[in-house]
Amino acid sequence: MKKYNIYCDESAINNESSNYMWIWWLLVERKHKKDLVRKLKSLKLKHNYLHEIKWNRVSPSSSEFYSDVVDFFLNNELRFWSIIVNKEEVDHDKFHQWSHEVAFWKFYYFLFKNRLFDACIFHIFLDKRNTKYKTGISKIEEFLNIEAQTRETPFVIQQINCHSSDEQLLIQIADFLIWAITHDFNGLIKSHVKTEIIKKIANWLGKDTLSFRSSLHGDTKINNFLIHPKNV
């Protein structure tokens, strides 16, 4: 059975200026992880880049480094998938026990349920999150194990744990991507350097922009799936 690491996080959950939030994952085949981290460290060394990989650090002076970061993502076995949620459509009172936290974990479950491959083993790493909903992770694991048994060849959830984003180079890549996507989605790209990075990724994908919508099982490298959560 193939083994995968899934690194997860979210964006714009509490951002009142945005009507949308994103919940996303970066999928890495487990056997490639060490080599990918080694390549990233070498890339930072090549450019003498001492900072975290962040969208807000993209500038003319760092443009060559971030162009190489984009090449790293596009040319290696990494997949970035997200769900986009219109926060105005979320009915917390009717469907989520009056709780934003319950809704949050339901959307995470939706992301996993429809994307996990049959006959594979998954190690899932979530962002550390201060939450009153203590049973969130255990509930996700419980329901995913139920989902696995409905498959012809069940997947296996080996673990669900928390990661620390500032310690994970691969998480920094994913964080860089989601900021690029959300800024393009919201029309916030004003820098020429950032515009060129958006174009580079979009052109490789055969898209005009990064604010495209995907079908659930359509785009495989970057998948942006918009859900309508009125009845979720």
Side-chain angles (χ1 to χ4, degrees), residues 52-134:
E52 285 189 31
I53 299 169
K54 284 182 174 289
W55 179 249
N56 62 11
R57 289 191 180 274
V58 175
S59 67
S61 63
S62 65
S63 60
E64 289 187 9
F65 170 71
Y66 279 102
S67 181
D68 282 354
V69 166
V70 169
D71 287 336
F72 168 84
F73 169 72
L74 296 176
N75 297 321
N76 282 288
E77 295 187 41
L78 296 161
R79 304 185 198 183
F80 183 86
W81 294 344
S82 69
I83 57 172
I84 308 167
V85 182
N86 187 335
K87 291 186 281 189
E88 293 183 337
E89 294 182 356
V90 181
D91 190 335
H92 295 293
D93 294 348
K94 186 174 182 181
F95 296 107
H96 307 300
Q97 304 171 37
W98 305 281
S99 170
H100 290 258
E101 288 293 334
V102 173
F104 170 83
W105 291 112
K106 280 187 177 181
F107 295 137
Y108 252 122
Y109 172 70
F110 181 89
L111 175 65
F112 294 137
K113 175 182 181 293
N114 294 283
R115 304 291 181 83
L116 296 178
F117 313 132
D118 289 0
C120 293
I121 298 173
F122 295 98
H123 298 253
I124 299 173
F125 300 94
L126 303 174
D127 188 30
K128 289 182 178 178
R129 178 177 170 83
N130 294 324
T131 176
K132 296 177 182 178
Y133 196 60
K134 300 295 186 182

Side-chain angles (χ1 to χ4, degrees), residues 5-10 24-26 33 108 123-129 137 159-172 174-175:
N5 281 7
I6 298 176
Y7 301 99
C8 306
D9 208 342
E10 63 280 342
W24 52 260
W25 79 16
L26 184 76
K33 180 202 165 185
Y108 252 122
H123 298 253
I124 299 173
F125 300 94
L126 303 174
D127 188 30
K128 289 182 178 178
R129 178 177 170 83
I137 291 177
Q159 62 171 319
I160 301 180
N161 283 318
C162 292
H163 65 73
S164 176
S165 60
D166 61 354
E167 296 174 355
Q168 297 281 355
L169 278 174
L170 292 173
I171 285 293
Q172 291 175 30
D175 189 62

